[in-house]
Amino acid sequence: MILSWRKKRAARRAAKKQNLEVTSNMELTIPSHFRCPISLELMKDPVTLSTGITYDRDSIEKWIEAGNSICPVTNQVLRSFEPVPNHALRMMIQDWCVEKRSYGIERIPTPRIPISSYEVSEILSGIQTAKDQQDAERCREMVLKIKELAKDSERNKRCISANGTGGVLAAAFKTFSKVPFEQNVELLEEILSALITISPLDGEAKSYLGSDSSLHCMVWLTEMELVKILLEMLVDCEKSICEKALGVLDEACSYDEGMEKAYGNALTVPVLVKKLLRISDLATQFSVSILWKLCKNDKSEGGDVLVEALQLGAFQKLLLLLQVGSTDGTKEKTTELMKLMNVYRDRAECTDSLDFKNLKRSY
């Protein structure tokens, strides 16, 4: 019984091995209508041109992008450069792949349909309407849709860029950047992000972005993003760079959004207190100005900025600044800062004597 069972098992193994050898020696023939006329390979995303000939999308798009305007098979001039997905043929190819899986053929995945010029024009029309109606929220929704589609694939990005999207977005940016633009910050940031995604921009887009309102808004938005970079730069930099960085930071903190960024960064107060009386008169003036803006507008219940500045020895430095001299504007801000800090001195003051080494009187 056992011997008989072993013989049967060996026979089955031999038959299976023989069948595999036969299968491996057989040549798999791909149906001709499943092959792309350009690459001659199995099509993964079959699309049909206006001439009625079907190609693999990747192959025919490369052909068109190379500057060709005729059908490779018929030599007819193409009425449209946007091929239409051939879903029926694609499903036939997928079914064939499943049938031939024993040959090592894998089923081709269902491709994501790229955006068409018509779809892009519909979205751009929505952006233009929202712009004309001053509907910032609706415009933002359309801009986000453009961004998502552009990031989905390079093919989508090319289609979006080729249909005048840059000009439409830049025109919307110009419209919504007019004062007061602070209420449209989220939309403006999304438009700039979308423009970067689909860059390079054409002349029309650059013209809109070159307007006074657009340029002013872009500088303002850029300063908001620079707050973090500036503070990290100020930790260790040479005199000239320090002065310039503090000057830009002072300007950024003239806006609510800039101050909000500064409040949220742990480096802000330590860096500003450290720069007092250490770099130059100009650096000290900017540092005092920034601290004055932050302390004066601090809405926290416990005066967080004032307390932190006191703990870092700011009061003693400000007192010394009044003694060594400064400009009238800086002197006024210094005096007001000391009055604000005086309320919290008993519970928060701490002096770092190292900050007073090698101080020189201002001339």
Side-chain angles (χ1 to χ4, degrees):
M1 293 268 311
I2 295 177
L3 182 61
S4 175
W5 175 79
R6 286 179 176 173
K7 286 182 178 180
K8 288 180 181 179
R9 185 176 65 175
R12 285 196 299 269
R13 286 180 175 175
K16 185 176 181 180
K17 181 178 180 181
Q18 182 179 4
N19 184 54
L20 289 173
E21 290 176 350
V22 171
T23 300
S24 62
N25 290 328
M26 291 176 62
E27 182 178 353
L28 179 63
T29 302
I30 300 176
S32 60
H33 59 293
F34 288 179
R35 293 179 180 270
C36 173
I38 296 176
S39 67
L40 302 180
E41 296 179 353
L42 181 68
M43 290 186 283
K44 297 179 179 179
D45 186 6
V47 292
T48 304
L49 294 183
S50 56
T51 58
I53 306 299
T54 298
Y55 302 88
D56 195 31
R57 183 186 292 277
D58 187 59
S59 297
I60 193 60
E61 287 189 344
K62 287 180 179 178
W63 166 268
I64 294 173
E65 288 170 8
N68 298 296
S69 58
I70 60 173
C71 174
V73 172
T74 66
N75 287 326
Q76 295 177 14
V77 176
L78 298 175
R79 298 191 303 273
S80 171
F81 292 104
E82 290 197 0
V84 178
N86 192 327
H87 298 298
L89 181 57
R90 188 252 306 156
M91 287 188 286
M92 290 173 61
I93 293 175
Q94 288 177 322
D95 291 340
W96 179 84
C97 290
V98 173
E99 293 176 3
K100 306 300 180 182
R101 60 180 179 272
S102 60
Y103 290 85
I105 302 296
E106 295 183 359
R107 181 181 182 276
I108 62 171
T110 301
R112 299 184 67 174
I113 301 175
I115 193 171
S116 65
S117 294
Y118 174 77
E119 291 172 307
V120 174
S121 66
E122 285 291 298
I123 298 174
L124 296 183
S125 177
I127 292 176
Q128 290 174 322
T129 301
K131 178 200 71 174
D132 295 339
Q133 297 176 349
Q134 295 288 304
D135 188 343
E137 185 58 34
R138 178 59 178 166
C139 186
R140 183 171 176 270
E141 290 176 5
M142 295 290 99
V143 173
L144 286 172
K145 191 171 184 179
I146 282 287
K147 280 180 61 179
E148 290 172 3
L149 290 168
K151 291 179 179 179
D152 190 53
S153 68
E154 280 298 316
R155 186 182 293 118
N156 279 2
K157 180 181 174 181
R158 290 195 297 269
C159 181
I160 290 170
S161 299
N163 283 278
T165 302
V168 174
L169 291 177
F173 187 89
K174 178 182 177 181
T175 296
F176 287 103
S177 68
K178 294 178 180 178
V179 178
F181 58 77
E182 288 85 352
Q183 60 188 3
N184 300 318
V185 170
E186 289 187 3
L187 168 60
L188 293 166
E189 288 178 337
E190 293 295 350
I191 293 177
L192 279 182
S193 177
L195 286 169
I196 292 172
T197 300
I198 65 170
S199 61
L201 304 178
D202 56 22
E204 182 185 19
K206 292 177 181 178
S207 176
Y208 284 121
L209 294 178
S211 67
D212 290 341
S213 61
S214 294
L215 287 173
H216 175 67
C217 182
M218 283 190 288
V219 170
W220 183 84
L221 289 172
T222 302
E223 285 176 355
M224 299 308 102
E225 293 302 318
L226 277 178
V227 169
K228 178 176 180 292
I229 298 173
L230 289 170
L231 288 169
E232 292 176 352
M233 183 189 304
L234 284 167
V235 172
D236 183 22
C237 62
E238 62 182 32
K239 175 184 173 181
S240 61
I241 295 177
C242 180
E243 291 175 341
K244 293 175 182 177
L246 285 169
V248 175
L249 185 59
D250 184 36
E251 177 64 23
C253 288
S254 297
Y255 300 94
D256 291 341
E257 289 78 6
M259 283 194 289
E260 184 178 347
K261 295 283 186 180
Y263 285 136
N265 196 304
L267 288 174
T268 302
V269 178
V271 164
L272 293 174
V273 173
K274 183 177 181 180
K275 300 304 176 184
L276 290 173
L277 296 170
R278 276 204 169 184
I279 307 300
S280 66
D281 289 346
L282 184 58
T284 295
Q285 290 171 22
F286 283 136
S287 297
V288 169
S289 177
I290 300 168
L291 280 171
W292 174 75
K293 291 172 183 175
L294 295 176
C295 291
K296 187 177 180 181
N297 294 283
D298 185 9
K299 306 299 182 186
S300 61
E301 294 183 3
D304 294 347
V305 177
L306 288 163
V307 170
E308 184 178 5
L310 280 166
Q311 291 174 336
L312 293 168
F315 190 88
Q316 287 77 15
K317 283 193 169 187
L318 293 173
L319 179 60
L320 188 57
L321 178 59
L322 288 179
Q323 295 173 358
V324 299
S326 60
T327 63
D328 291 340
T330 300
K331 184 177 180 179
E332 291 177 6
K333 291 175 182 177
T334 300
T335 302
E336 187 172 353
L337 266 173
M338 293 178 69
K339 289 179 180 179
L340 292 171
M341 291 181 180
N342 198 47
V343 178
Y344 300 94
R345 283 185 67 194
D346 292 340
R347 70 177 229 219
E349 195 171 54
C350 177
T351 305
D352 182 358
S353 60
L354 293 177
D355 282 338
F356 300 97
K357 286 185 176 182
N358 303 318
L359 291 179
K360 294 182 180 179
R361 179 175 294 276
S362 177
Y363 293 97

